[in-house]
Amino acid sequence: MFGTDRKDLATELETMLDMAKTLFVQHVREGQNADQAVVKYTSQNDLYKVIDFDLPNVGKGVDGTFELIKKTLDYSVNSWNPRFMDKLYAGTNPIGVISEMLIAVLNGNSHVYHVSPVFTLMEIQVTKAVGELLNMGENSGGLLCPGGSASNLLAMFTARNKLFPSITKTGYLPRPYPGAEYGPLKIFTSISSHYSIDKAAQVMGLGTNSIIKVPTDSCGRMRVDRLEILIRESVDRGETPFFVNATAGTTVLGAFDPIRAIATVAKQFNCWLHVDGSWGGSVVFSNSAVKTTNWLDGSGLADTFTLNPHKLLGVPLQCSMLLTPHKAHALFAQANSLAADYLFHGNPYDLGAGTIGCGRRPDAVKMFLAWTFYGRQGFGNRVDRALGSAADLTTMVRNRKDRGFILVKDPSPFLQVCFWYIPNHLSNHVLHWEAQGNYTANVSLVTKMLHLRLREIGEFLVDHAPLDSLPHFFRIVINSPTVSVERDLAGLLDAIEEAGKEIEWDRVFG
Amino acid sequence: MFGTDRKDLATELETMLDMAKTLFVQHVREGQNADQAVVKYTSQNDLYKVIDFDLPNVGKGVDGTFELIKKTLDYSVNSWNPRFMDKLYAGTNPIGVISEMLIAVLNGNSHVYHVSPVFTLMEIQVTKAVGELLNMGENSGGLLCPGGSASNLLAMFTARNKLFPSITKTGYLPRPYPGAEYGPLKIFTSISSHYSIDKAAQVMGLGTNSIIKVPTDSCGRMRVDRLEILIRESVDRGETPFFVNATAGTTVLGAFDPIRAIATVAKQFNCWLHVDGSWGGSVVFSNSAVKTTNWLDGSGLADTFTLNPHKLLGVPLQCSMLLTPHKAHALFAQANSLAADYLFHGNPYDLGAGTIGCGRRPDAVKMFLAWTFYGRQGFGNRVDRALGSAADLTTMVRNRKDRGFILVKDPSPFLQVCFWYIPNHLSNHVLHWEAQGNYTANVSLVTKMLHLRLREIGEFLVDHAPLDSLPHFFRIVINSPTVSVERDLAGLLDAIEEAGKEIEWDRVFG
C-alpha cells in the first residue's frame, strides 16, 4: 500500500471515482425524493452499534473503505433534501462537488503564489468582484477565511493592528498603564449579532466586558441613536471605542442593521466599521428586489465586510470572505504579517502573509467556479426565489393563526420564518401559565417537545431558538433552491400540527 | 439555472462527474510521469493572458466551466509529481480525493451533532486514537482545526482560559494593573519554532514581546538548560510564564525538541506544555524506527499537541488536530464556550462549542477514511520510506562535496535535507566575499539564482530558506510516497548542477 514504489495511483483513482459516483449520485437522487427522510434519527449509542468506528492496524483497502462510506451516507443528514431547513446553509450543488474535487486533486494551498498560481488569482479576482458589487470601488478585494467567525476575527485583528500597531509588539496595555496611548478598547455590536464577535474579543484578550451591546428596534435592527449615546458614554468614561460591528442578516431573525447611518456614527468616533454579512451579504446578488438594495445601503463605507457564499449561495462549506475597500492585500499584509522568511520571499501575491494562519484552503475557487457556472444572475435568481418562498411561508403561518400558529415577527425580516405553535387544546394551559408566571419556560417546552418529535420522524430537519426574553420558537430557514411551497412548506406546518397531536401533553405538563 | 424548480441535480452531477473523472485521472497520470514538469512556470501577467478571470453575468454552464477547470489543471502545480518537494505537504492520494467528495456531497458541518452525527463520532474516535498513540491515555481526544496555526492558537487560547479564566471576561490586565492576579504572561519557544506561535501571541493581545525565544543546540533542538534559566529569570522579573511550546519537527531543519525534559521544567513552573507536532507528530505512526520513539518521548505529558495529517500522511489540506489527554471535549467546551443557545442546546457531542469558530469543516473524516484505507501500518510504511529516502539524499549530497555541495546539518535531523551548492567555478568568488565580509548575502544570492532557474524550468519544485544568521540554502522536503532515489533525488542534484552551468554568473556578480 503506502510505501511501495510506483503504484499506479491514476488507475486506483479511476476505480474509486466510479464507485463513488454510483453512491453519491444515488444519495443526491434520494435527497430530491420528497418521500425520503432528511435523516435516519440515530442516537450516539445506536450509531456506535451500527457503524464500526474502530481504526484498523492493517488497512481495509477499497472495499472495506467503501462499505464505511456507504454507511456514512445512510446515517448522515441528506442536505440535498429541501426539507433540511435547520441551519443557514443548505445542500450544495453539482459544481460545488466538482470544485471540491478540483481542490483535492491539486491539494491546493493558497498561502504562496508559486504553489497555487491559478487559485491565487481566482481569489484576488473573485474578492475584487464581490467588493465592487458592494460598492467598495476598484481598490476592493479580500481574503478567504475558514468560516464567518474566522473572517470576523481577522477583521477585528486587522482593525486593532492598524489603529494601535504598538499592541502587536507590546501587547494590550490600556490606560491606566503608564504611557498608554489608549483606554480600554471597546466594541459595539447589537444584542442580536452573532456570538463570534464576543468570541473574537475573548480571543484577542479584550474580554467580553469590552463588548457593548446596542439595543435593537422592533424589527431586530440596531438602534443607531442608542449606538451614538453608548459610544459617547464610553468615551466619557475614558474608554477607547475602536470597532463597530453592523450585522447584515442576523442569525435568528435575519434583521439588517442600517449600515449607512451606523457608518456616520462610527466615522465620527474614528471607529473601524465592520459589517458581518455572513448570512445576508449575499443579497447583493439579487436581481430585482429594491429592498435588498436598501438592506445593504452603505456597504461601500465599511472598512471590512464578511460574506459567506457557503450559506445563501450554495457553495460548499467552508467559503467565507473578508472584503475591504482599502487595497485589500496591502492592508492585510501590512497590518498582520510577521517576517517568516522561510516561507514568504516578498511576492505581493503571497496571500497567506495577511492572514492569521499559514497554509490555507483555496476556498475562493469554489465561489469562482460557482459564479462561472451560474453567473451573477443565477445567484440572483436563487436569492430572489428564496425571498419569495419565505414570504409565502410567512403568509401560510399567518393564515393558520386560528390553529395555534403565532409569528414572532410579521412580516419576516428576511429568509428566516420564526413562529410558535401552541396546539389549541393547550390554550387553557397557556392561560394558566400566564397566571402562574411560568409562561416562557412552558412555551419553550412546547416548542422543544414538538421539535424533538419532528427530529425523531426525520422527515424535516428544522431548529428552534430563543431571542432576548422570548420563549423558544421555531426558526425555519429558507435557502434550498428546490424548496416547494406546497409540498415542503405547507407540509412542514402540517407535520408540526401532527406532532402536536401525537405528543402526550398530559405527561409533559401533568 | 438556479431558481427554477425541481431540476434533476442527480443527473447533472452524474454528467459532471464523468467529465471530471477524465480530466482528473489524466492529471494524476501526468503527475506520475517523470518527463512531465511539476508546473508550467507562469508569471501573474502571463497567467492573466492565458486564463479569462472575468466573472460572468450570465452563467457559462457545464461546458464553459469545464474549459476553465481544464486550464486550471494545466497551469497549476502537479503535486502528484514526486518532484514537488517544496513544502511540508506533498500530493494527496485517491482516498483523499474521495473523502473530500464525501464531505462535499454531504456539505458536512461538524459544529453540532444533529447535522453531522457520523462525522462527529469519527472526529471523536480518530482524535482519541491518535491521542492514545501519543501515550495520552484513555481520556485523550481532540478537535480538528483549520490548519496548524489555528490548532496552535486554540491551544494557547485554551491554556489562557483554563489558567486565567478571568481574562475571558475582563480582558488581559496584568500587573501593575491594580488587583491583577498575574504578571505579564510569557511564552517560551525555541528560536526555530514556527511563526504561528508568535502570531497566536499577537492575536491574543500578548504581543510578540511576550515571546521568549530559547536557543537551540547544534542539531536545532531547544536547549532545556537555557529554558529553565529563562523561565527563572522571567519569574524574577515579576512576569508570569504560562505557556511552553516544544516543537516536534521544526519547519526548516526538522529538529525535535526533547519533550520529556521540557515537560519537567514546564510543570515545575506550572506552565501549560504544548507540543507543535504539525510536521513531526506523524512519526508516531512509524512501524520500525527506534529513533522516532525517542523523538516523541514524553508526548503523553503534553497538555495539548498539534498534529497535521495533511502534511506527512498525505491527507488533503486542511487536516490539523489539536490533541489533549484532559478529557478533550469537556476541556475545550468548558474553557472556551460562550452560551450561544440559538445553536448549542446542551448536547456534549456538539464539538463546535469548544472551538474559536462556529460552522466547521469535518476534516477529521479525511483522516478517519485514510486510516481505514491504509491502516496504521500503511501510514507507518509511508513515514519509514520517507526517512529512508531522506537518508539516501543526505548521503548523495555528502558524496558530492567535491562538486560544491555542502550539507547544513549532517546527518539531516529528519525529512528535510538542507544544503548549499556553490558551483566550483564560483569558489574564487567565495574567498573574495569572505574577505569583503559580504559572504552571507552572496551565498544567499547564489541559492536564490539557482532556485529561480529551477523554478523556470519547472521540472522540480523546491524551496530555499534562511536559518538564524546562515545564508539561504536549499530545503528539500522528502514526503511523497512515490519519490525515487535515483530518478528524482539524484536527478534533482543533477538539475541544480546544470542550473549552475546555465546561469551567467558574471552578470550576477559582475
Side-chain angles (χ1 to χ4, degrees):
Chain A
M1 196 73 58
F2 262 139
T4 58
D5 256 38
R6 327 273 346 110
K7 182 169 174 202
D8 183 7
L9 294 173
T11 304
E12 182 176 287
L13 178 61
E14 198 164 20
T15 307
M16 289 167 73
L17 284 176
D18 285 334
M19 295 172 75
K21 189 180 85 169
T22 306
L23 290 180
F24 294 158
V25 169
Q26 187 193 336
H27 180 80
V28 175
R29 198 152 275 144
E30 285 170 3
Q32 294 183 110
N33 179 350
D35 298 332
Q36 288 276 343
V38 180
V39 60
K40 272 184 211 161
Y41 176 80
T42 322
S43 71
Q44 291 87 354
N45 288 341
D46 290 342
L47 211 45
Y48 275 118
K49 282 176 204 150
V50 292
I51 296 183
D52 177 8
F53 286 100
D54 281 346
L55 288 156
N57 210 29
V58 177
K60 293 183 178 175
V62 176
D63 290 337
T65 309
F66 268 89
E67 210 172 292
L68 175 64
I69 291 172
K70 191 174 175 326
K71 280 205 172 169
T72 302
L73 289 165
D74 285 347
Y75 288 92
S76 290
V77 171
N78 194 324
S79 58
W80 298 80
N81 192 320
R83 296 179 172 199
F84 173 69
M85 298 183 276
D86 189 290
K87 294 275 169 279
L88 300 180
Y89 67 95
T92 186
N93 40 47
I95 189 62
V97 176
I98 301 294
S99 58
E100 287 286 16
M101 287 175 77
L102 175 65
I103 292 171
V105 166
L106 290 176
N107 206 15
N109 189 355
S110 46
H111 57 347
V112 292
Y113 175 84
H114 78 264
V115 299
S116 283
V118 184
F119 286 176
T120 298
L121 297 192
M122 284 181 172
E123 180 159 353
I124 290 171
Q125 292 305 118
V126 77
T127 52
K128 185 175 164 65
V130 178
E132 285 176 350
L133 284 181
L134 289 168
N135 291 321
M136 287 183 162
E138 60 178 13
N139 283 326
S140 64
L143 288 174
L144 276 280
C145 297
S149 294
S151 291
N152 290 341
L153 174 60
L154 182 61
M156 199 182 285
F157 180 58
T158 304
R160 190 205 66 186
N161 291 351
K162 192 79 185 160
L163 298 173
F164 311 100
S166 69
I167 296 178
T168 63
K169 202 168 170 189
T170 65
Y172 174 55
L173 296 171
R175 285 187 296 268
Y177 285 99
E181 291 159 7
Y182 50 89
L185 298 184
K186 295 290 167 180
I187 293 150
F188 296 77
T189 191
S190 97
I191 52 168
S192 295
S193 63
H194 190 255
Y195 74 89
S196 54
I197 302 296
D198 308 60
K199 199 95 169 202
Q202 267 198 355
V203 171
M204 286 174 53
L206 303 174
T208 46
N209 285 357
S210 69
I211 305 271
I212 295 180
K213 290 278 170 84
V214 185
T216 52
D217 66 16
S218 62
C219 299
R221 297 172 297 205
M222 183 191 280
R223 282 188 54 183
V224 186
D225 56 334
R226 295 302 306 275
L227 170 68
E228 185 168 356
I229 293 167
L230 286 168
I231 295 185
R232 211 176 283 281
E233 289 172 354
S234 170
V235 171
D236 289 347
R237 286 191 299 267
E239 299 163 356
T240 303
F242 87 108
F243 190 87
V244 175
N245 173 62
T247 306
T250 57
T251 312
V252 175
L253 281 184
F256 285 76
D257 291 343
I259 299 172
R260 185 174 295 280
I262 292 172
T264 304
V265 177
K267 280 169 208 302
Q268 185 186 338
F269 292 95
N270 299 314
C271 288
W272 189 275
L273 175 62
H274 175 65
V275 178
D276 179 4
S278 294
W279 169 227
S282 297
V283 299
V284 78
F285 287 93
S286 170
N287 290 311
S288 58
V290 175
K291 66 177 173 182
T292 62
T293 312
N294 289 337
W295 287 343
L296 295 179
D297 179 45
S299 57
L301 302 170
D303 295 298
T304 41
F305 191 114
T306 298
L307 190 152
N308 290 6
H310 76 223
K311 291 193 160 78
L312 189 42
L313 302 181
V315 174
L317 264 137
Q318 62 198 42
C319 186
S320 173
M321 35 179 71
L322 182 66
L323 304 156
T324 178
H326 309 309
K327 293 192 180 169
H329 306 111
L331 167 73
F332 292 120
Q334 268 174 28
N336 306 334
S337 101
L338 276 170
D341 47 9
Y342 84 90
L343 177 63
F344 299 113
H345 304 320
N347 185 340
Y349 287 81
D350 291 347
L351 301 182
T355 70
I356 289 173
C358 178
R360 313 168 62 224
R361 279 200 108 232
D363 294 320
V365 173
K366 299 184 281 185
M367 177 62 175
F368 197 100
L369 291 183
W371 190 329
T372 301
F373 190 88
Y374 291 113
R376 200 195 54 71
Q377 284 182 1
F379 284 149
N381 291 342
R382 179 177 170 130
V383 172
D384 295 336
R385 186 183 189 284
L387 285 166
S389 304
D392 290 343
L393 177 58
T394 303
T395 303
M396 285 192 288
V397 174
R398 188 189 303 123
N399 292 343
R400 293 195 191 203
K401 192 178 172 186
D402 295 344
R403 291 146 82 173
F405 285 87
I406 309 154
L407 283 164
V408 176
K409 298 287 169 188
D410 189 3
S412 301
F414 187 36
L415 297 176
Q416 297 101 305
V417 181
C418 297
F419 57 85
W420 294 276
Y421 172 62
I422 309 287
N424 281 339
H425 59 280
L426 283 181
S427 44
N428 287 339
H429 283 72
V430 174
L431 292 173
H432 173 73
W433 299 336
E434 280 175 345
Q436 300 291 320
N438 49 3
Y439 176 81
T440 303
N442 281 325
V443 173
S444 287
L445 187 56
V446 171
T447 302
K448 289 176 187 178
M449 292 302 298
L450 291 166
H451 175 260
L452 189 64
R453 179 77 195 124
L454 284 182
R455 189 172 287 179
E456 280 166 3
I457 298 169
E459 206 185 347
F460 293 88
L461 207 59
V462 299
D463 208 359
H464 62 86
L467 185 74
D468 309 335
S469 57
L470 296 175
H472 278 248
F473 45 77
F474 283 101
R475 181 197 66 165
I476 311 302
V477 183
I478 307 299
N479 183 340
S480 166
T482 59
V483 75
S484 143
V485 170
E486 267 315 305
R487 187 197 61 188
D488 301 320
L489 301 183
L492 169 65
L493 301 183
D494 293 344
I496 292 174
E497 289 193 46
E498 196 57 38
K501 287 176 197 149
E502 289 165 7
I503 293 167
E504 298 179 49
W505 294 105
D506 290 345
R507 293 182 60 180
V508 176
F509 295 108
Chain B
M1 197 74 60
F2 261 139
T4 57
D5 256 36
R6 327 269 351 107
K7 181 169 172 200
D8 183 8
L9 293 173
T11 304
E12 183 177 286
L13 179 62
E14 198 165 18
T15 307
M16 289 168 72
L17 284 176
D18 285 335
M19 295 173 75
K21 188 180 87 170
T22 306
L23 290 180
F24 294 158
V25 169
Q26 188 194 336
H27 180 81
V28 175
R29 199 153 273 143
E30 284 170 2
Q32 294 182 108
N33 179 350
D35 298 332
Q36 289 275 342
V38 179
V39 61
K40 272 184 209 162
Y41 176 79
T42 322
S43 71
Q44 291 88 351
N45 289 342
D46 290 342
L47 209 46
Y48 275 117
K49 282 176 205 150
V50 292
I51 296 183
D52 177 9
F53 286 99
D54 282 345
L55 288 157
N57 209 30
V58 177
K60 294 184 178 175
V62 176
D63 290 338
T65 309
F66 268 89
E67 211 173 290
L68 175 64
I69 291 173
K70 192 175 174 325
K71 280 205 172 167
T72 302
L73 290 166
D74 285 347
Y75 288 92
S76 290
V77 170
N78 194 324
S79 57
W80 297 80
N81 193 320
R83 294 177 173 200
F84 173 68
M85 298 183 277
D86 189 292
K87 294 276 168 275
L88 299 181
Y89 67 94
T92 185
N93 39 50
I95 188 63
V97 176
I98 300 295
S99 59
E100 286 287 16
M101 288 176 77
L102 174 66
I103 292 171
V105 167
L106 291 176
N107 207 16
N109 189 354
S110 46
H111 57 346
V112 292
Y113 175 83
H114 79 264
V115 299
S116 284
V118 185
F119 286 176
T120 298
L121 297 193
M122 284 181 172
E123 180 160 352
I124 290 171
Q125 292 305 118
V126 77
T127 52
K128 187 176 164 63
V130 178
E132 286 176 350
L133 285 181
L134 289 167
N135 290 323
M136 287 183 161
E138 61 178 13
N139 283 326
S140 64
L143 288 173
L144 277 278
C145 296
S149 295
S151 292
N152 290 341
L153 174 60
L154 182 61
M156 201 182 283
F157 180 58
T158 305
R160 190 206 66 185
N161 291 351
K162 193 78 185 163
L163 297 173
F164 310 100
S166 69
I167 296 178
T168 62
K169 202 167 170 192
T170 65
Y172 173 55
L173 298 170
R175 285 187 296 267
Y177 193 84
E181 290 159 7
Y182 50 88
L185 298 185
K186 295 291 166 180
I187 293 150
F188 296 78
T189 192
S190 97
I191 51 168
S192 294
S193 64
H194 190 256
Y195 74 91
S196 55
I197 300 297
D198 308 60
K199 199 94 170 203
Q202 267 199 354
V203 170
M204 286 176 52
L206 304 174
T208 45
N209 286 357
S210 68
I211 305 270
I212 296 180
K213 291 276 169 88
V214 184
T216 52
D217 65 16
S218 62
C219 300
R221 297 172 297 205
M222 182 191 282
R223 281 187 53 183
V224 186
D225 56 334
R226 294 303 305 275
L227 170 68
E228 185 168 357
I229 292 167
L230 287 166
I231 296 185
R232 211 175 282 282
E233 288 173 354
S234 171
V235 171
D236 289 346
R237 286 192 299 269
E239 299 163 358
T240 303
F242 87 109
F243 190 89
V244 175
N245 172 63
T247 307
T250 58
T251 312
V252 175
L253 281 184
F256 286 74
D257 291 342
I259 300 171
R260 184 175 295 278
I262 293 171
T264 304
V265 175
K267 280 169 208 302
Q268 185 187 339
F269 292 95
N270 298 313
C271 288
W272 190 275
L273 175 62
H274 175 64
V275 178
D276 180 3
S278 294
W279 169 227
S282 296
V283 300
V284 78
F285 287 94
S286 169
N287 289 311
S288 58
V290 175
K291 66 177 173 183
T292 62
T293 312
N294 289 336
W295 286 343
L296 296 179
D297 179 45
S299 57
L301 302 170
D303 295 298
T304 41
F305 190 113
T306 298
L307 189 152
N308 290 7
H310 76 223
K311 291 193 161 79
L312 189 43
L313 302 181
V315 174
L317 265 136
Q318 62 199 38
C319 186
S320 172
M321 38 179 69
L322 182 65
L323 304 156
T324 177
H326 309 308
K327 291 190 181 171
H329 306 111
L331 167 73
F332 292 120
Q334 269 175 28
N336 306 333
S337 102
L338 277 171
D341 47 9
Y342 84 90
L343 177 63
F344 299 113
H345 304 320
N347 185 341
Y349 286 81
D350 291 347
L351 300 183
T355 70
I356 289 173
C358 178
R360 316 167 62 223
R361 281 200 106 233
D363 294 319
V365 173
K366 299 185 280 186
M367 177 61 175
F368 197 100
L369 291 183
W371 188 330
T372 301
F373 190 88
Y374 291 113
R376 199 196 55 70
Q377 283 182 2
F379 284 149
N381 291 342
R382 178 177 170 132
V383 171
D384 295 336
R385 185 183 189 283
L387 285 166
S389 303
D392 289 344
L393 176 58
T394 303
T395 303
M396 286 191 290
V397 174
R398 189 189 303 122
N399 291 343
R400 294 195 191 203
K401 191 178 173 187
D402 294 346
R403 290 144 83 173
F405 286 87
I406 308 154
L407 283 164
V408 176
K409 297 288 171 188
D410 190 3
S412 302
F414 187 36
L415 296 175
Q416 297 100 306
V417 181
C418 297
F419 57 85
W420 294 276
Y421 171 62
I422 308 288
N424 280 339
H425 58 281
L426 283 182
S427 43
N428 287 339
H429 284 70
V430 175
L431 292 174
H432 174 72
W433 299 336
E434 279 175 348
Q436 301 289 319
N438 50 4
Y439 175 81
T440 302
N442 281 324
V443 172
S444 286
L445 187 56
V446 171
T447 302
K448 289 176 186 177
M449 292 302 299
L450 291 165
H451 175 259
L452 189 64
R453 180 76 196 124
L454 284 182
R455 189 173 287 180
E456 281 166 3
I457 298 171
E459 206 185 349
F460 292 89
L461 207 60
V462 299
D463 208 359
H464 63 86
L467 186 74
D468 309 333
S469 56
L470 294 175
H472 278 247
F473 45 78
F474 284 102
R475 181 197 66 163
I476 310 303
V477 183
I478 306 300
N479 183 340
S480 165
T482 59
V483 73
S484 141
V485 171
E486 265 318 304
R487 186 197 64 185
D488 302 319
L489 300 182
L492 169 65
L493 300 183
D494 293 345
I496 291 174
E497 288 192 47
E498 195 56 38
K501 288 178 197 148
E502 289 165 8
I503 293 167
E504 298 180 50
W505 294 105
D506 290 345
R507 295 182 59 180
V508 176
F509 294 109

